[in-house]
């Protein structure tokens, strides 16, 4: 009996080790980033979204690396920025947020609704992580804070991205971390339990145990609940124009998960799409029905950088996911950047032949022409 159990256990270890080796293996990359130019000084522009009137919005964190390692109090100032893409030489402009209630801002994932003229931002405030909701006024562009969404379900530093549901009273929030981070970051654990959590998380990833998910929040009732089945790392999220489908990136599994929204607001997994490179943030292009993705083609470099290695240039890319005439999902890599101008790409947007890339750790917005 025990021999049988041991054989099964060793077989599982071998299978997971093979999968991990295959997952971390990086093919030879061919870069097409000669036209890329870095713009702006804001730090940690992890996510971006295209609003009305050719306005590109992005949220700055002041460096998510600082937030996660040393706590948000040690990170630089963040905020919401915009670029008017009608201008050929568009420059980033920081937006003032009227009635903003917090004394700091460290943005992570964002979502811009052109249906309700709202922007939703994951905001890491140190003691807690929340979703801040703001109203957008155009001509000129102005932001007014409307609401802060809080929940005991949200781990500290552990929620990642957000998307509006059927209307302004419903949002979907991805939980990307299994455990909360210490308030003062991973380098400052406050207990033995907090010291052990990173090791336990690595073991859970190694054995493929899915423990993250998507939450659904009813803003009219101030209530959040689990809405999806478990994923290894629920990360970037977007919705189709009809709000009938929700798409969630899982960079650890290297998939995009297609969920159907039920009348109750719960999500039913309908399809799992394998991606050639790990996808981070997703944005639906409502004009074409394509999903725009910031990608990580070299995970080993990204892991080294997150562990604090110096002088690492993490390559990144921009890819497009769309359905073919036969109804099959196809993914095309449009741009690959070597990481020298911007290390680690997390998000991408498109305007004509111009591609815009953001990073959770690096400075500025990278504009490329393809």
């Amino acid at each position: 009996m025990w021999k049988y159990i041991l054989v099964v256990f060793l077989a599982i270890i071998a299978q997971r080790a093979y999968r991990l080796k295959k997952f971390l293996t990086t093919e030879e990359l061919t870069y097409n980033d000669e036209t890329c130019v870095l713009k702006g000084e804001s730090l940690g522009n992890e996510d971006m979204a295209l609003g009305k009137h050719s306005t590109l919005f992005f949220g700055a964190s002041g460096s998510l690396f600082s937030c996660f390692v040393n706590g948000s109090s040690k990170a630089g100032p963040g905020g919401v920025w915009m670029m008017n893409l009608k201008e050929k030489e568009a420059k980033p402009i920081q937006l003032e947020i009227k009635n903003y209630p917090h004394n700091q801002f460290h943005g992570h994932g964002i979502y811009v609704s052109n249906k309700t003229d709202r922007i939703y931002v994951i905001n890491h405030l140190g003691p807690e992580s929340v979703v801040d909701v703001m109203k957008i006024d155009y001509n000129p562009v102005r932001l007014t804070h409307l609401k802060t969404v809080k929940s005991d379900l949200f781990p500290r530093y552990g929620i990642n991205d957000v998307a509006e549901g059927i209307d302004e009273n419903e949002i979907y929030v991805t939980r990307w971390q299994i455990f909360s981070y210490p308030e003062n970051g991973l380098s400052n654990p406050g207990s033995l339990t907090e010291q052990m959590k990173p090791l336990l998380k690595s073991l859970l990833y190694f054995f493929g145990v899915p423990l993250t998910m998507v939450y659904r929040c009813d803003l009219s009732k101030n209530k959040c609940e689990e809405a999806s089945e478990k994923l290894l790392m629920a990360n970037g999220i977007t919705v189709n124009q009809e709000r009938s489908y929700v798409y969630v990136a899982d960079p650890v599994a290297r998939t995009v998960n297609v969920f159907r929204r039920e009348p109750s607001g719960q999500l039913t997994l309908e399809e799992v799409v394998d991606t050639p490179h790990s996808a981070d943030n997703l944005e639906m292009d409502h004009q074409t029905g394509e999903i725009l993705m910031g990608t990580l083609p070299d995970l080993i470099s990204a892991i080294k950088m997150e562990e604090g290695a110096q002088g690492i240039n993490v390559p990144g890319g921009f890819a497009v996911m769309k359905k073919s005439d036969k109804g099959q999902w196809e993914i095309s890599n449009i741009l690959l950047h070597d990481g020298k101008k911007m290390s680690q790409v997390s998000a991408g947007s498109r305007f004509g032949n111009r591609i815009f890339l953001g990073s959770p750790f690096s400075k500025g917005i990278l504009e490329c022409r393809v």
Side-chain angles (χ1 to χ4, degrees):
M1 177 65 179
W2 287 108
K3 288 184 178 180
Y4 176 76
I5 293 174
L6 180 60
V7 169
V8 172
F9 179 73
L10 291 175
I12 293 173
I13 293 289
Q15 188 270 339
R16 297 308 303 178
Y18 173 78
R19 178 178 173 82
L20 181 63
K21 180 181 178 181
K22 183 179 179 181
F23 182 68
L24 293 176
T25 300
T26 302
E27 78 276 18
E28 186 174 348
L29 301 173
T30 302
Y31 303 111
N32 57 335
D33 55 359
E34 298 83 4
T35 65
C36 296
V37 177
L38 194 64
K39 295 190 172 183
E41 296 293 322
S42 58
L43 185 60
N45 307 296
E46 200 270 347
D47 200 5
M48 59 181 65
L50 192 62
K52 292 180 178 177
H53 309 299
S54 309
T55 306
L56 180 69
F57 294 92
F58 50 96
S61 65
S63 176
L64 285 179
F65 181 81
S66 296
C67 286
F68 299 155
V69 175
N70 298 305
S72 62
S73 63
K74 301 297 184 181
V80 179
W81 295 63
M82 62 154 283
M83 293 173 69
N84 180 1
L85 301 187
K86 292 179 182 177
E87 301 174 359
K88 290 184 178 180
E89 299 300 326
K91 296 181 179 180
I93 301 171
Q94 186 169 11
L95 296 170
E96 180 183 353
I97 305 173
K98 185 179 179 181
N99 300 332
Y100 184 68
H102 315 300
N103 60 11
Q104 56 181 317
F105 189 106
H106 303 288
H108 198 157
I110 74 168
Y111 181 83
V112 172
S113 172
N114 293 324
K115 178 180 178 182
T116 63
D117 287 338
R118 280 168 166 73
I119 181 170
Y120 303 83
V121 183
I122 302 292
N123 198 356
H124 299 302
L125 300 176
E128 60 183 350
S129 292
V130 302
V131 182
D132 278 305
V133 185
M134 289 155 274
K135 181 179 183 295
I136 305 171
D137 290 300
Y138 292 94
N139 299 319
V141 178
R142 299 189 303 271
L143 300 180
T144 303
H145 189 275
L146 299 176
K147 186 180 183 69
T148 297
V149 182
K150 303 181 180 183
S151 174
D152 292 338
L153 295 173
F154 296 168
R156 187 189 306 115
Y157 302 113
I159 53 175
N160 183 290
D161 202 5
V162 57
E164 187 179 78
I166 199 69
D167 57 28
E168 68 272 15
N169 290 315
E170 180 182 67
I171 61 172
Y172 291 99
V173 179
T174 57
R175 173 176 178 164
W176 72 303
Q177 288 298 321
I178 301 171
F179 307 114
S180 288
Y181 284 2
E183 181 176 342
N184 294 316
L186 292 169
S187 63
N188 300 291
S191 66
L192 179 61
T193 300
E194 288 188 337
Q195 289 180 6
M196 296 301 295
K197 282 180 178 178
L199 175 60
L200 179 56
K201 182 180 75 171
S202 297
L203 288 173
L204 291 169
Y205 282 156
F206 180 80
F207 285 106
V209 181
L211 290 173
T212 69
M213 71 290 293
V214 180
Y215 295 124
R216 174 184 179 269
C217 297
D218 186 331
L219 274 56
S220 65
K221 299 179 180 178
N222 294 317
K223 179 183 178 182
C224 298
E225 61 185 359
E226 193 172 323
S228 75
E229 65 180 67
K230 301 288 196 302
L231 302 173
L232 286 176
M233 182 186 280
N235 201 290
I237 186 171
T238 192
V239 296
N240 67 340
Q241 189 165 13
E242 297 76 21
R243 312 295 175 94
S244 55
Y245 281 90
V246 176
Y247 307 88
V248 181
D250 186 335
V252 173
R254 201 180 280 176
T255 60
V256 171
N257 299 271
V258 182
F259 291 95
R260 183 178 68 254
R261 182 191 180 278
E262 304 295 349
S264 64
Q266 287 290 303
L267 302 178
T268 300
L269 184 62
E270 192 166 281
E271 194 171 358
V272 178
V273 183
D274 292 324
T275 59
H277 300 144
S278 292
D280 195 330
N281 285 305
L282 309 176
E283 181 187 3
M284 175 65 70
D285 184 330
H286 294 299
Q287 291 186 335
T288 65
E290 298 172 334
I291 297 174
L292 314 180
M293 306 188 295
T295 62
L296 279 168
D298 184 355
L299 277 179
I300 293 179
S301 294
I303 292 170
K304 288 179 179 178
M305 181 176 177
E306 291 186 9
E307 289 176 345
Q310 301 297 315
I312 298 290
N313 295 319
V314 182
F318 174 79
V320 172
M321 174 172 154
K322 63 180 180 180
K323 275 202 168 181
S324 67
D325 295 338
K326 296 181 180 179
Q328 302 296 316
W329 287 105
E330 297 177 343
I331 298 175
S332 302
N333 288 316
I334 306 300
L335 180 75
L336 283 175
H337 172 54
D338 62 12
K340 294 179 181 178
K341 296 175 182 176
M342 171 182 284
S343 187
Q344 188 163 333
V345 171
S346 56
S349 192
R350 177 178 62 186
F351 187 78
N353 69 335
R354 298 153 72 190
I355 304 295
F356 299 88
L357 304 176
S359 164
F361 312 126
S362 299
K363 184 182 292 186
I365 294 292
L366 197 65
E367 180 178 345
C368 312
R369 295 179 185 269
V370 295

